[in-house]
Amino acid sequence: MSLAFVIPTRNEVDRLLVLLPQIREKYPDSKIFVVDTPTKKTPFSVTSEIAYKYGAEIIGFPAGFGVCLALGLKWASPKSDYIITMDADHDLASATLMYDALIKSPEKDLAIGIENSDRIQRKAMNVLLKSMLGINLKNPTCGLRCYRSSMMESIVDKPDEWFFIQIQLVYNALERGFRVVQVPFPYKEHGKATENFKSYRRFFVSLLKFYWKQTVS
């Protein structure tokens, strides 16, 4: 069974310097795909030097998170049986929990993480997602996941530019009959998180657009 990692990055050299050697040590035969959004602060040449040092494949793509994640999934799926998606500040130990959950549950297709968080905003989003899209999961926005590669062709479709792609992927997976297992992992503050009024407003707008599209289609 082959394993791949898809890691979208933006200004995350320091985190990659920690994460990539950890992956190489624990999963020496795994494939690592870094999809980097270059910036003036961290040009592609800097990130690619680190990626190549640890045998990772990398592409520079000047787009938002959603498009980069979709590109990485399509890139990795023909070359692996399982794909872990994670941010550079996620713990590898938590990612391993997702992978182990699928290995131990051959009837499941997607493992998605559950953080032990009591944030009211998250609970409100979960209520909206359940009532509008029928997604009844504890943490459907979580980006720490492990997919069976065979499902990629069915669920990656016209990705949202932003983080709402995580909802699109879960929705498409459930709609197409794929089975999800939810896996608790230790909660920590997510270094990349930008949860503020602007991000919640953007989430709600994306949700309304996606809901309308499903309703009229």
Side-chain angles (χ1 to χ4, degrees), residues 184-201:
F185 69 97
Y187 173 75
K188 75 168 189 175
E189 285 299 327
H190 195 8
K192 288 181 64 177
T194 55
E195 294 191 0
N196 49 40
F197 176 77
K198 183 178 180 179
S199 66
Y200 286 116
R201 181 180 63 184

Side-chain angles (χ1 to χ4, degrees), residues 1 4 7 34 36 40 57 62 64 84-85 96 98 132 146-147 149 154 178 185 194 197:
M1 293 177 290
I7 310 170
V34 176
D36 183 60
K40 291 183 179 179
E57 298 183 44
I84 289 174
T85 61
T96 296
M98 308 300 125
M132 296 177 70
C146 185
Y147 297 85
S149 297
S154 300
F178 293 108
F185 69 97
T194 55
F197 176 77

Side-chain angles (χ1 to χ4, degrees), residues 109-124:
D109 305 291
L110 165 62
I112 182 170
I114 305 174
E115 291 176 298
N116 297 318
S117 173
D118 293 326
R119 283 178 288 184
I120 295 176
Q121 300 96 319
R122 178 169 293 169
K123 292 181 179 180

Side-chain angles (χ1 to χ4, degrees), residues 1-206:
M1 293 177 290
S2 56
L3 173 65
F5 290 81
V6 172
I7 310 170
T9 60
R10 186 175 187 272
N11 295 330
E12 294 185 277
V13 166
D14 292 341
R15 291 167 180 163
L16 286 177
L17 283 170
V18 174
L19 178 61
L20 294 185
Q22 290 178 345
I23 294 176
R24 271 291 159 251
E25 181 178 358
K26 187 172 182 61
Y27 300 104
D29 297 326
S30 66
K31 296 184 181 299
I32 306 173
F33 300 92
V34 176
V35 187
D36 183 60
T37 301
T39 66
K40 291 183 179 179
K41 178 181 178 181
T42 310
F44 180 71
S45 59
V46 174
T47 309
S48 60
E49 182 178 355
I50 296 168
Y52 294 144
K53 179 179 179 180
Y54 295 102
E57 298 183 44
I58 183 170
I59 184 172
F61 200 69
F65 174 86
V67 177
C68 288
L69 179 60
L71 176 63
L73 289 170
K74 290 181 178 180
W75 189 13
S77 58
K79 306 177 183 181
S80 60
D81 298 312
Y82 297 89
I83 303 173
I84 289 174
T85 61
M86 61 188 300
D87 295 331
D89 64 342
H90 276 133
D91 289 330
L92 181 59
S94 296
T96 296
L97 294 175
M98 308 300 125
Y99 179 52
D100 289 346
L102 282 194
I103 296 296
K104 296 174 182 177
S105 304
E107 75 282 1
K108 302 295 184 180
D109 305 291
L110 165 62
I112 182 170
I114 305 174
E115 291 176 298
N116 297 318
S117 173
D118 293 326
R119 283 178 288 184
I120 295 176
Q121 300 96 319
R122 178 169 293 169
K123 292 181 179 180
M125 285 192 294
N126 289 352
V127 170
L128 287 173
L129 292 171
K130 181 179 179 180
S131 61
M132 296 177 70
L133 299 179
I135 299 176
N136 188 19
L137 298 175
K138 293 182 179 179
N139 192 13
T141 60
C142 182
L144 186 58
R145 304 176 179 185
C146 185
Y147 297 85
R148 292 191 189 276
S149 297
S150 55
M151 65 191 297
M152 285 301 108
E153 188 175 347
S154 300
I155 69 171
V156 180
D157 177 36
K158 295 181 181 179
D160 185 86
E161 173 79 9
W162 184 62
F163 291 93
F164 195 78
I165 186 178
Q166 305 291 17
I167 301 303
Q168 289 179 305
L169 292 170
V170 169
Y171 178 85
N172 290 342
L174 294 172
E175 280 291 292
R176 288 154 178 77
F178 293 108
R179 295 149 296 184
V180 177
V181 57
Q182 302 180 80
V183 184
F185 69 97
Y187 173 75
K188 75 168 189 175
E189 285 299 327
H190 195 8
K192 288 181 64 177
T194 55
E195 294 191 0
N196 49 40
F197 176 77
K198 183 178 180 179
S199 66
Y200 286 116
R201 181 180 63 184
R202 190 170 185 179
F203 174 88
F204 187 64
V205 170
S206 296

